[in-house]
Amino acid sequence: MSTHYYFSWFNHFLPEKLVKLLHKDITDRQSLVMISADPSNYEDDQINFDDISEWTWLKQANLMFDEYHFVDYRMPKEDAQLLIQNASVIFCCGGYPALQHDFLMDYELMDVIKKSNAVILGASAGSLNMAAKWLNLETTSDEVETSTIYEGIGFGHFAYESHSLRNYATFVQGYLFPLSEEMDVYAAEQESAMRVKDGVIETMGSIYLISHSKIQKLAETL
C-alpha cells in the first residue's frame, strides 16, 4: 500500500481536512526525513527546523516524530540513503526543482525513495520531482522562455506542475500542452493538494487536468 501527497504551496498552514487525512495515513511517527530543494545553500552545520516552512506545517498539524533529519550536501551519500530507507515519512521540500533533481541524481536517491514504504510528501519543487516528468521553464535575458523536460521519481504515470506565479490563466496559454500529448499533466494553483493512495488520485483546491492539449478543472474529492 502506497500513499503519496503532492502539495502546491500553503502560505500559512495545512487545511484542517488535509491534516485529518495525514493523521489517518501517517501511523508510523518514528522518523521524518526532509530532502532539500536548495541542497547547497547552508552556512553552518546545524539545521534550524523552525526555518523550514514544511516542518512548521507538520508541527502546526501536531504531526510530530521521534527523529527529524534534513538531507542536503552536508550529509554523506551513504548516510542519506540509509536514513531514507528507514524513514516513516519522506518529505521532498519546496525550493528549486532542478537543484533538487540534480541532488537526487548525485546521491542516487530516486530509486531509494521509489522503493520506500514510507508515506511520501512533496511541496512545490518536491511534488514536481515525485512525478514521472515535469517541465522547467527558463526565461533568458531577452525574455524568451526555453523549456526542459525532467524525469522525476515517477510514482505514477503523470506529470505535475506547481508554481506560485502560475495559475489557470497561464496554464491555458498552452506551455504544458506538448507534454500533455505524452501523459496527463496535473497543474496546481496555490493552496491545493493531491493525494494518491494505491493509484487512486484525489484532489483538494484548484487543480487542473491537462490531457491531449485540453484543460479541465477537477472537482474536489478530498
Side-chain angles (χ1 to χ4, degrees):
M1 232 168 51
S2 61
T3 306
H4 309 130
Y5 283 83
Y6 299 75
F7 301 155
S8 54
W9 192 257
F10 298 99
N11 290 316
H12 302 292
F13 48 79
L14 300 178
E16 185 60 33
K17 57 184 175 182
L18 191 56
V19 170
K20 290 180 178 177
L21 280 171
L22 288 168
H23 274 272
K24 178 182 177 181
D25 288 334
I26 301 173
T27 55
D28 180 356
R29 309 277 178 86
Q30 182 177 346
S31 174
L32 169 69
V33 177
M34 310 189 81
I35 301 175
S36 176
D38 196 1
S40 297
N41 182 28
Y42 47 81
E43 296 178 355
D44 51 43
D45 294 331
Q46 296 299 316
I47 300 294
N48 184 357
F49 280 91
D50 287 323
D51 293 335
I52 303 171
S53 296
E54 297 89 336
W55 184 82
T56 63
W57 297 344
L58 299 182
K59 183 180 179 182
Q60 291 170 337
N62 197 29
L63 284 162
M64 309 304 289
F65 296 80
D66 296 335
E67 300 176 10
Y68 299 92
H69 304 280
F70 188 79
V71 175
D72 59 17
Y73 280 115
R74 280 172 288 192
M75 181 178 292
K77 178 195 295 188
E78 295 75 14
D79 292 353
Q81 291 176 350
L82 186 61
L83 284 173
I84 288 170
Q85 287 171 0
N86 295 324
S88 310
V89 173
I90 300 167
F91 204 142
C92 299
C93 294
Y96 301 95
L99 296 181
Q100 186 178 61
H101 178 272
D102 291 346
F103 175 65
L104 293 172
M105 295 295 290
D106 290 345
Y107 268 45
E108 301 177 71
L109 297 178
M110 288 208 178
D111 284 343
V112 180
I113 297 170
K114 192 168 185 178
K115 292 175 182 175
S116 172
N117 292 320
V119 175
I120 315 290
L121 313 177
S124 192
S127 294
L128 267 65
N129 280 309
M130 286 168 58
K133 292 189 178 183
W134 58 274
L135 177 68
N136 189 38
L137 283 179
E138 295 181 357
T139 304
T140 61
S141 57
D142 55 0
E143 297 303 312
V144 175
E145 287 193 330
T146 59
S147 62
T148 304
I149 300 292
Y150 281 81
E151 301 275 346
I153 296 168
F155 290 115
H157 186 67
F158 60 82
Y160 184 85
E161 166 70 313
S162 173
H163 197 291
S164 61
L165 299 180
R166 297 190 181 117
N167 54 25
Y168 179 76
T170 53
F171 299 150
V172 294
Q173 292 175 11
Y175 73 95
L176 291 167
F177 287 177
L179 182 56
S180 80
E181 296 293 334
E182 182 180 344
M183 62 178 62
D184 288 347
V185 181
Y186 291 90
E189 293 187 7
Q190 289 203 69
E191 308 289 332
S192 65
M194 283 173 40
R195 175 181 182 245
V196 185
K197 186 160 187 169
D198 299 328
V200 177
I201 298 175
E202 298 174 285
T203 64
M204 184 201 78
S206 296
I207 296 181
Y208 306 89
L209 172 61
I210 306 173
S211 181
H212 298 290
S213 299
K214 295 181 180 180
I215 182 170
Q216 61 172 314
K217 185 174 183 179
L218 297 176
E220 291 193 54
T221 52
L222 283 177

